[in-house]
């Protein structure tokens, strides 16, 4: 029996970054909003407090704040001809769970995508010719330009109190910032963090090779800051517990620290945690989403929440799954290229090179998740791809991210994994090593996509999302090239020992952690047949349904995604409150 | 230690784990051995608790053999995994040396590990390398996790590498001690709780 509740103006699925921003903006416009969050209610005071939050085993190794795979996971196969098997534990990536979602447990890197990244396909074709682009790369442009999204990137940075240094202020290039970024209307709200020794060693080497190092735009704050929502954020204490942890000091911007304090006080907002959305009720003839069905995880009760507007704001896997389960839009078929739901799932193509400095005290435990020195010289199309055989590039950066002792120990190549020699090397090098990273773009590929697994089920008996995914030719060449370049910079740092450069080779492996930058599945576009949502992130198949998040990205650039996730949420909120509410209908003719 | 002193390990399993953990982390000038640091108690608690029972592990079937890139694909909880893995290792050791693992001298134990890593040691019905990888992982967890969990006694693991533990407030150090040795007496959750 399904309990049917009273109609709300809007219902939001998933209260992470996108969901909390949209809830805040819609309630400001006077709408009565219900927020459905599958995970638990959490506040920094109660759930991220000292001393218990400094527990690497509980949070980083056993993954307390990560989606519980026994509730829901994904399956993986590397090609459509194979049988997919479930990810029984999470390793390569860590989907969030609980109020704040992945926004609670991120590192805090807050990039904007560049103008080139917004127009990736047309700019590649323009520079290299249509024939240079392999047919298997199903890339496309974003449905809005950088200039259109710029004010919203700016809003998200001000919400977070992002600490950084502008490299392009209204067209004026500024040395020491990222000169490859798009023009920004204003500088970051806070100055960059004090750089780590590791970051400085990297920056000096990068500069000596003619590159343009700049500090990470960081949502770990450099100073006390009150954001436009009235939330007070503190300067970071460099505790080394960002990723996989909630922040004990309110110095990492998260939905919990920046927006939920105000949103939870808002009478027009009703939050329901432990509420697992299972279906969007869809009236195909009317092209409307009429309600959301969900299960109250505390008692198993099935509930239907009718609403005038439905906002799907979960992680890319869940956004895709809910559309497929609800029969909204056509599922993507890699054989024909038809259908768009599940299309262009992308990940991050990472590589790294450890470096060891006998005479430098690196203090890797003295770190935040988003404090590094970076170069964009080998990212996007900032270098000539003429005869390289791939497109896209990588953000290359270095700094210790954390020195947590179970997971953050480096030993030189050839060190055994156990015994006296392991002990000696670990004791000797723990405080003298860090890693140069390459965060590479992942261009969409015809055979990389999401659909519903025919065999494996989640805790509620629904199919798991099946990932058909591996690294293809463009990815492997990109990773080999950018990791080799990272190794050149690492060599120029003159380390005592250069670690083994590790580009991606072979198939996608779910075991070693790589990145939680999963994108695509409900991509934006200008063609209703080739995309799931229009430029306002409005479903082509239901004009009162908006799908918002990294699932909108047509492909995944080298820059981390969260700045763009926040910008898209503000962009969609503006489209709803300023356009859709005036005339509730399709904002772009299909 | 009497069997009743363990929550889930049998005495034979505890003897195996003690010998194995102390081969992975032997006593020397850098630290006491793993078992002296409480690592066996740590493993016992972990395997007796929710982790050992398979919390946060997707266990639905069908259970199929995947590629290495699929990661863990057994239907076993960690408790069952270690029980079967230890039994398989003991059977192999008996066949190879005519003694239990705990009765081997250190050089022989090192030979076992080296043969597992090289692929020379093949256990009956159990992947020797998968078992050894998991064994190293749980021993390292016990040696480096907060002493709250029973291992890393006296913060020996943290002292060995110079990890200062809690409260991890480096705002001042970042400005004034960057590039210098941070000689803090380590503290753990128990020092603040």
């Amino acid at each position: 029996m399904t309990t049917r509740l009273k109609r709300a103006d809007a219902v939001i699925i998933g209260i992470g970054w996108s969901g909390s921003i949209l809830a805040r903006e819609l309630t400001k416009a006077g709408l009565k909003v219900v927020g459905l969050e599958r995970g638990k209610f959490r506040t920094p005071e109660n759930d991220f407090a000292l001393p218990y939050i400094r527990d690497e085993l509980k949070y980083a190794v056993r993954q307390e704040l990560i989606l519980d795979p026994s509730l829901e996971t994904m399956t993986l196969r590397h090609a459509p001809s194979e049988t997919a098997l479930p990810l029984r534990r999470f390793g390569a990536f860590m989907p969030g769970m609980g109020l704040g979602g992945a926004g609670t447990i991120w590192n805090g890197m807050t990039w904007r995508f560049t103008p080139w990244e917004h127009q990736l396909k047309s700019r590649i074709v323009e520079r290299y010719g249509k024939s240079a682009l392999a047919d298997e790369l199903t890339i496309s442009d974003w449905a809005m330009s950088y200039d259109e999204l710029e004010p919203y990137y700016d809003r998200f940075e001000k919400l977070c109190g992002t600490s950084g240094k502008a490299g392009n202020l209204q067209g004026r290039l500024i040395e020491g910032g990222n000169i490859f970024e798009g023009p920004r209307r204003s500088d970051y709200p806070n100055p960059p963090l004090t750089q780590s020794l590791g970051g400085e060693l990297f920056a000096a080497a990068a500069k000596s090779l003619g590159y343009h190092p700049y500090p990470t735009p960081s949502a770990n704050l450099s100073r006390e800051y009150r954001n436009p929502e009235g939330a007070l954020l503190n300067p970071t204490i460099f505790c080394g517990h960002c990723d996989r942890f909630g922040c004990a000091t309110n110095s990492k911007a998260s939905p919990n620290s920046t927006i939920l304090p105000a949103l939870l006080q808002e009478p027009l907002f009703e939050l329901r945690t432990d509420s697992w959305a299972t279906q969007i009720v869809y009236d195909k003839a009317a092209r409307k989403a009429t309600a959301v069905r969900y299960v109250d995880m505390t008692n198993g009760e099935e509930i239907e929440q009718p609403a005038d507007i439905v906002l799907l704001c979960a992680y890319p896997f869940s956004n895709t799954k809910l559309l497929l389960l609800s029969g909204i839009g056509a599922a993507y078929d890699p054989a024909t290229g038809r259908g768009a739901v599940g299309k262009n799932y992308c990940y991050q193509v990472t590589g790294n090179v450890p470096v060891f400095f006998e005479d430098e005290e690196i203090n890797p435990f003295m770190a935040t998740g988003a404090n590094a020195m970076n170069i964009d010289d080998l990212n996007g199309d900032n270098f000539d791809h003429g005869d390289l055989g791939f497109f896209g590039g990588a953000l290359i950066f270095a700094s210790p991210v954390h020195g947590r002792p179970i997971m953050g120990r480096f030993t030189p190549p050839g060190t055994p994994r156990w015994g006296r020699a392991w002990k000696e090397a670990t004791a000797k090098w723990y405080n003298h090593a860090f890693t140069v990273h390459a965060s590479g773009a992942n261009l969409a590929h015809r055979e990389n996509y999401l659909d519903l697994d025919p065999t494996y089920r989640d805790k509620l008996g629904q199919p798991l999302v099946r990932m058909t995914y591996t690294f293809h030719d463009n990815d492997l060449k990109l990773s080999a090239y950018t990791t080799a370049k990272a190794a050149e910079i690492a060599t120029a740092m003159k380390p005592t020992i250069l670690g083994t450069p590790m580009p991606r080779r072979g198939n996608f492996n779910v075991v070693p952690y790589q990145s939680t930058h999963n994108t695509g599945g409900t991509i934006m576009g200008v063609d209703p047949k080739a995309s799931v949502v229009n430029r306002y992130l409005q479903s082509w198949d239901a004009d009162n349904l908006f799908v918002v998040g990294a699932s909108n990205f047509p492909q995944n650039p080298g820059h981390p995604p969260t700045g763009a996730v926040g910008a898209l949420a503000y962009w969609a909120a503006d489209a709803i409150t300023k356009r859709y509410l005036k005339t509730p209908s399709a904002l772009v003719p299909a | 230690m009497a069997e009743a002193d363990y929550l889930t390990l049998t005495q034979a399993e505890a003897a195996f784990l003690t010998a194995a953990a102390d081969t992975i982390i032997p006593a020397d000038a850098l630290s006491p051995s793993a078992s002296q640091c409480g690592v066996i108690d740590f493993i016992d608690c972990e395997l007796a608790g929710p982790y050992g029972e398979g919390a946060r592990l997707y266990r639905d079937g069908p259970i199929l053999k995947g590629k290495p890139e699929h990661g863990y694909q057994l239907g076993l909880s960690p408790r069952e995994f270690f029980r079967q893995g230890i039994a398989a290792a003991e059977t192999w050791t008996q066949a190879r040396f005519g003694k239990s693992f705990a009765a081997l001298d250190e050089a022989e134990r090192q030979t076992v590990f080296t043969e597992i890593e090289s692929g020379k040691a093949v256990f009956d019905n159990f992947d020797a390398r998968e078992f050894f990888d998991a064994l190293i992982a749980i021993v390292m967890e016990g040696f480096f996790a907060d002493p709250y969990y029973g291992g890393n006694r006296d913060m020996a693991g943290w002292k060995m590498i110079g990890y200062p533990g809690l409260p991890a407030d480096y705002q001042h150090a970042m400005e004034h001690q960057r590039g210098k040795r941070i000689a803090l007496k380590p503290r753990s959750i128990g020092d603040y709780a």
Side-chain angles (χ1 to χ4, degrees):
Chain A
M1 233 219 39
T2 303
T3 306
R4 201 177 150 87
L5 302 176
K6 200 166 151 258
R7 173 167 290 269
D9 293 330
V11 58
I12 302 182
I13 300 167
I15 307 299
W17 272 127
S18 302
S20 41
I21 288 171
L22 276 149
R24 186 72 183 127
E25 296 304 303
L26 266 53
T27 52
K28 281 180 189 168
L31 270 61
K32 193 172 180 315
V33 177
V34 171
L36 302 177
E37 167 54 49
R38 173 166 62 177
K40 295 281 173 199
F41 183 77
R42 296 197 290 233
T43 63
E45 322 68 280
N46 291 331
D47 299 287
F48 313 144
L50 283 166
Y52 295 104
I53 193 66
R54 296 272 191 272
D55 185 339
E56 183 187 15
L57 184 74
K58 179 177 178 178
Y59 293 102
V61 182
R62 302 279 183 259
Q63 306 171 2
E64 176 76 11
L65 302 178
I66 310 301
L67 172 61
D68 178 350
S70 74
L71 292 178
E72 186 186 24
T73 181
M74 305 92 206
T75 67
L76 169 76
R77 57 181 184 172
H78 292 122
S81 57
E82 297 178 0
T83 300
L85 293 182
L87 281 63
R88 296 188 180 277
R89 291 189 173 106
F90 290 119
F93 54 81
M94 299 286 140
M97 176 149 171
L99 184 59
T104 302
I105 50 161
W106 69 319
N107 262 328
M109 299 179 176
T110 319
W111 264 272
R112 301 172 171 203
F113 291 152
T114 63
W116 184 87
E117 286 163 341
H118 276 260
Q119 297 174 303
L120 182 133
K121 183 176 183 180
S122 54
R123 297 282 286 272
I124 288 175
V125 168
E126 187 185 312
R127 183 166 174 183
Y128 302 98
K130 203 169 170 34
S131 61
L133 199 57
D135 285 344
E136 63 187 28
L137 297 178
T138 51
I139 56 174
S140 60
D141 288 357
W142 279 44
M144 76 290 288
S145 69
Y146 170 82
D147 288 340
E148 288 176 300
L149 203 58
E150 199 281 334
Y152 304 92
Y153 281 122
D154 188 73
R155 274 186 86 180
F156 186 62
E157 287 166 2
K158 289 183 165 70
L159 178 76
C160 291
T162 310
S163 300
K165 183 171 172 60
N168 182 341
L169 207 45
Q170 295 155 8
R172 185 167 55 87
L173 298 189
I174 300 166
E175 201 181 331
N178 180 15
I179 58 165
F180 297 102
E181 71 175 346
R184 49 171 59 249
R185 65 183 48 216
S186 58
D187 204 339
Y188 290 100
N190 290 303
L193 298 176
T194 302
Q195 196 45 245
S196 70
L197 177 60
E200 285 189 347
L201 291 168
F202 172 83
K207 210 165 180 177
S208 76
L209 295 175
Y211 299 132
H212 300 84
Y214 65 92
T216 304
S218 175
N220 319 132
L221 274 69
S222 59
R223 63 182 178 192
E224 188 177 284
Y225 175 74
R226 193 174 290 280
N227 79 4
E229 295 294 347
L232 187 65
L233 295 154
N234 296 311
T236 176
I237 62 167
F238 300 94
C239 75
H241 293 71
C242 285
D243 65 303
R244 310 190 189 196
F245 294 82
C247 186
T249 52
N250 261 5
S251 40
K252 174 174 79 177
S254 67
N256 316 73
S257 65
T258 62
I259 196 163
L260 284 164
L263 183 60
L264 294 173
Q265 297 298 314
E266 169 57 58
L268 290 172
F269 180 65
E270 185 191 343
L271 173 68
R272 295 183 202 144
T273 49
D274 302 293
S275 299
W276 184 342
T278 54
Q279 190 193 343
I280 298 165
V281 182
Y282 180 45
D283 182 340
K284 196 168 183 175
R287 300 174 77 79
K288 295 276 182 196
T290 58
V292 174
R293 288 205 181 118
Y294 66 96
V295 174
D296 180 338
M297 296 302 288
T298 64
N299 58 16
E301 193 183 346
E302 284 195 318
I303 300 168
E304 185 171 307
Q305 175 63 62
D308 292 338
I309 304 173
V310 174
L311 298 114
L312 183 46
C313 296
Y315 204 60
F317 300 108
S318 296
N319 281 356
T320 303
K321 177 169 169 168
L322 270 165
L323 292 185
L324 291 170
L325 287 175
S326 308
I328 303 175
Y332 172 68
D333 177 357
T336 62
R338 291 200 198 98
V341 183
K343 186 181 169 182
N344 285 20
Y345 165 75
C346 290
Y347 188 47
Q348 202 89 69
V349 183
T350 60
N352 60 73
V353 189
V355 283
F356 299 85
F357 293 87
E358 194 159 29
D359 298 323
E360 304 285 3
E361 300 292 342
I362 299 300
N363 297 328
F365 45 82
M366 203 162 94
T368 69
N371 187 26
M373 291 301 283
N374 313 263
I375 62 160
D376 254 30
D377 301 74
L378 299 166
N379 201 0
D381 201 33
N382 301 332
F383 57 110
D384 185 11
H385 288 73
D387 51 7
L388 292 177
F390 69 89
F391 291 110
L395 174 76
I396 297 176
F397 62 99
S399 176
V401 178
H402 71 79
R404 300 189 300 258
I406 301 174
M407 300 177 75
R409 289 173 278 110
F410 295 100
T411 51
T415 304
R417 295 188 298 161
W418 51 274
R420 290 188 167 77
W422 168 81
K423 285 187 76 175
E424 277 163 31
T426 302
K428 179 174 161 92
W429 292 107
Y430 166 77
N431 210 46
H432 300 275
F434 59 100
T435 297
V436 180
H437 296 273
S439 168
N442 187 199
L443 301 196
H445 187 278
R446 184 175 303 283
E447 289 191 349
N448 285 344
Y449 70 107
L450 306 177
D451 67 354
L452 297 176
D453 192 273
T455 306
Y456 293 98
R457 309 247 150 194
D458 67 25
K459 192 82 175 173
L460 297 179
Q462 308 173 111
L464 297 183
V465 165
R466 174 170 66 180
M467 308 165 66
T468 302
Y469 182 79
T470 198
F471 301 124
H472 290 282
D473 186 57
N474 195 80
D475 312 312
L476 297 170
K477 285 179 178 161
L478 181 155
S479 189
Y481 181 84
T482 56
T483 308
K485 289 290 179 187
E488 282 177 19
I489 303 171
T491 304
M493 290 159 73
K494 300 192 174 63
T496 318
I497 299 170
L498 181 70
T500 309
M502 291 190 283
R504 289 292 145 215
R505 292 194 184 98
N507 279 321
F508 172 55
N509 185 337
V510 303
V511 180
Y513 185 78
Q514 291 151 66
S515 163
T516 299
H517 305 158
N518 306 82
T519 68
T522 76
I523 64 173
M524 63 172 100
V526 293
D527 176 359
K529 289 195 176 63
S531 56
V532 172
V533 293
N534 65 26
R535 72 195 302 264
Y536 300 108
L537 314 184
Q538 180 185 37
S539 165
W540 290 114
D541 298 282
D543 67 46
N544 66 336
L545 171 64
F546 292 79
V547 187
V548 186
S551 60
N552 300 138
F553 299 1
Q555 56 273 323
N556 199 13
H559 291 119
T562 307
V565 169
L568 287 178
Y570 276 119
W571 162 271
D574 252 19
I576 294 167
T577 56
K578 293 182 179 155
R579 294 168 186 264
Y580 181 80
L581 290 178
K582 284 183 188 138
T583 321
S585 58
L587 298 174
V588 178
Chain B
M1 206 178 226
E3 196 150 316
D5 291 333
Y6 290 105
L7 299 169
T8 183
L9 295 176
T10 65
Q11 197 145 8
E13 287 171 335
F16 174 91
L17 287 170
T18 303
D22 290 354
T23 310
I24 293 169
I25 304 179
D28 58 16
L30 292 168
S31 81
S33 75
S35 67
Q36 289 166 341
C37 293
V39 167
I40 311 309
D41 297 332
F42 168 89
I43 295 173
D44 185 45
C45 285
E46 284 299 295
L47 295 184
Y51 169 73
E53 288 163 14
R56 298 189 159 269
L57 180 64
Y58 181 80
R59 295 179 70 191
D60 287 14
I63 302 291
L64 300 171
K65 190 169 161 52
K67 306 177 195 178
E69 301 95 306
H70 283 115
Y72 187 74
Q73 288 297 331
L74 302 177
L76 306 173
S77 69
R79 180 68 194 93
E80 295 162 345
F81 176 91
F82 278 101
R83 177 150 288 163
Q84 293 185 23
I86 291 170
E90 282 292 9
T91 302
W92 185 86
T93 306
Q94 281 289 352
R96 173 84 160 71
F97 292 95
K99 314 186 241 196
S100 74
F101 186 82
L104 302 181
D105 65 28
E106 189 179 12
E108 290 169 324
R109 283 184 258 131
Q110 289 169 344
T111 301
V112 173
F113 286 179
T114 305
E115 292 191 6
I116 291 173
E117 286 193 312
S118 72
K120 201 172 156 195
V122 179
F123 297 172
D124 287 341
N125 300 319
F126 214 87
D127 184 323
R129 279 197 274 204
E130 188 172 17
F131 170 68
F132 190 54
D133 289 349
L135 181 66
I136 291 182
I138 201 163
V139 168
M140 294 299 168
E141 287 164 13
F143 190 61
F144 288 115
D146 194 283
Y148 184 79
Y149 291 97
N152 190 15
R153 202 168 283 160
D154 299 325
M155 291 171 276
W158 293 359
K159 286 173 185 165
M160 181 179 108
I161 59 175
Y163 177 67
L166 275 67
D169 181 346
Y170 302 111
Q171 198 175 8
H172 183 268
M174 196 70 180
E175 297 295 336
H176 303 286
Q177 287 173 276
R178 205 164 38 134
K180 295 185 184 138
R181 191 86 185 169
I182 307 284
L184 287 170
K185 183 178 177 292
R187 292 183 190 281
S188 66
I189 290 172
D191 292 320
Y192 292 89

